[in-house]
Amino acid sequence: EIVSAAGVPVTVVELGSGTAEKTRTLLRELEKKQMLVPYFPVDISRAAVEEARERVESQCPKTRVRPVVADFSQGFGFLRDIPGRKLVLYLGSSIGNYDRDDAVEMLDEVREELNDGDKLLIGTDMVKAPAVLLSAYDDAQGVTAEFNKNILRRINLELGGNFNLDSFRHIALWNSRQSRIEMHLESMRQQTVEIELLGLGIKLAAGERIHTENSYKYTIPMVDDMLASAGFTPEKTWKDSRDWFALHLASR
């Protein structure tokens, strides 16, 4: 359905491709409609796009992979250098890492580098029961807690910090007004932390929190508003059977 709605032929450009695990399903469908499928995986990690190349070429024989190493904070000018009518993918739910204004600004920057007739396929994690969200962001196995504390570990390693990870606990909250999961690290005691390379000494009270991350969850009206504000025209949405996740197709 996505291939039919997007139309062929297209050149596929994937922003934040990683290793292209999800993308191969779409590429295999495109191979049924096109003689060759140009595919440009884009990621800041050269190792990731090279792994994407190997995986896609081994499973999608009619796909021609041209990796692009790029940092999105430097803009999306590389899109202008990619020929053909483009289907730009932004899968997963990475857009949820941006607040609303930053998400619109990023998508507008993408649109500015596209041509009329190009399309965008973007994934969003949808609003769902708070209990479901909290069980994902404060899982019983402690995976997300370790992920959250890793920011302190990296500060220690790279900036000369002396955070004691055992003196912080992971907190996940659902902020319904902002439609986002918030992650915090709560100091379990009064303490002072030094960050040598920044020349900082930070005093933390017991119970004081460091706000580390937001993950926005969407409704369909929120997505349509975001896309329209960025200059895209929403066309079609696909959701899973529980309405937990969605993919949205929009045109330039």
Side-chain angles (χ1 to χ4, degrees):
E1 288 184 17
I2 292 170
V3 167
S4 295
V8 292
V10 289
T11 294
V12 179
V13 184
E14 184 171 11
L15 305 179
S17 61
T19 58
E21 184 71 28
K22 298 177 287 293
T23 320
R24 281 169 278 165
T25 301
L26 184 63
L27 294 173
R28 283 192 287 265
E29 288 300 315
L30 279 167
E31 287 186 335
K32 298 175 184 178
K33 305 284 187 180
Q34 297 182 204
M35 289 293 294
L36 292 174
V37 181
Y39 171 55
F40 292 77
V42 186
D43 204 281
I44 196 170
S45 167
R46 184 174 298 278
V49 292
E50 288 301 330
E51 185 175 345
R53 181 211 292 268
E54 294 175 8
R55 289 189 176 194
V56 170
E57 288 181 344
S58 69
Q59 298 182 27
C60 304
K62 293 168 62 178
T63 297
R64 298 296 178 263
V65 186
R66 301 291 182 266
V68 177
V69 177
D71 180 351
F72 299 159
S73 69
Q74 304 301 311
F76 298 88
F78 58 85
L79 289 169
R80 283 284 173 192
D81 300 326
I82 298 175
R85 190 174 71 88
K86 290 180 276 292
L87 172 62
V88 177
L89 310 180
Y90 196 37
L91 304 179
S93 56
S94 295
I95 196 68
N97 295 331
Y98 296 85
D99 68 26
R100 194 265 183 193
D101 290 344
D102 288 342
V104 169
E105 181 180 355
M106 188 272 280
L107 292 175
D108 182 61
E109 289 177 4
V110 170
R111 184 190 58 81
E112 285 290 331
E113 303 298 339
L114 300 179
N115 299 311
D116 290 344
D118 290 346
K119 294 185 184 289
L120 170 73
L121 184 69
I122 186 170
T124 56
D125 201 12
M126 308 303 285
V127 171
K128 49 189 75 71
V132 173
L133 289 167
L134 292 172
S135 67
Y137 285 86
D138 192 9
D139 57 285
Q141 293 81 15
V143 173
T144 312
E146 282 300 305
F147 173 81
N148 198 12
K149 286 186 176 184
N150 192 53
I151 192 170
L152 304 183
R153 186 178 292 111
R154 294 300 293 269
I155 290 172
N156 287 349
L157 288 172
E158 298 180 25
L159 298 176
N162 66 345
F163 283 95
N164 180 347
L165 274 61
D166 292 333
S167 67
F168 290 86
R169 71 183 184 108
H170 167 69
I171 301 285
L173 303 171
W174 169 240
N175 183 332
S176 59
R177 186 174 63 86
Q178 296 286 343
S179 195
R180 70 191 187 193
I181 284 283
E182 296 178 359
M183 297 210 305
H184 301 253
L185 290 169
E186 183 176 278
S187 177
M188 298 169 65
R189 58 179 175 82
Q190 183 174 330
Q191 57 184 307
T192 299
V193 177
E194 305 291 337
I195 303 178
E196 182 180 353
L197 291 184
L198 299 182
L200 284 179
I202 303 169
K203 294 182 178 180
L204 292 160
E208 190 170 359
R209 293 175 179 176
I210 303 170
H211 188 166
T212 54
E213 183 179 346
N214 295 320
S215 183
Y216 287 82
K217 308 305 172 186
Y218 286 87
T219 63
I220 297 299
M222 288 171 63
V223 175
D224 288 346
D225 174 71
M226 175 179 65
L227 290 170
S229 296
F232 284 98
T233 301
E235 292 189 345
K236 191 166 184 179
T237 290
W238 294 268
K239 297 186 289 185
D240 68 285
S241 59
R242 295 179 291 188
D243 293 346
W244 281 8
F245 183 80
L247 288 171
H248 315 270
L249 186 69
S251 60
R252 163 72 158 81

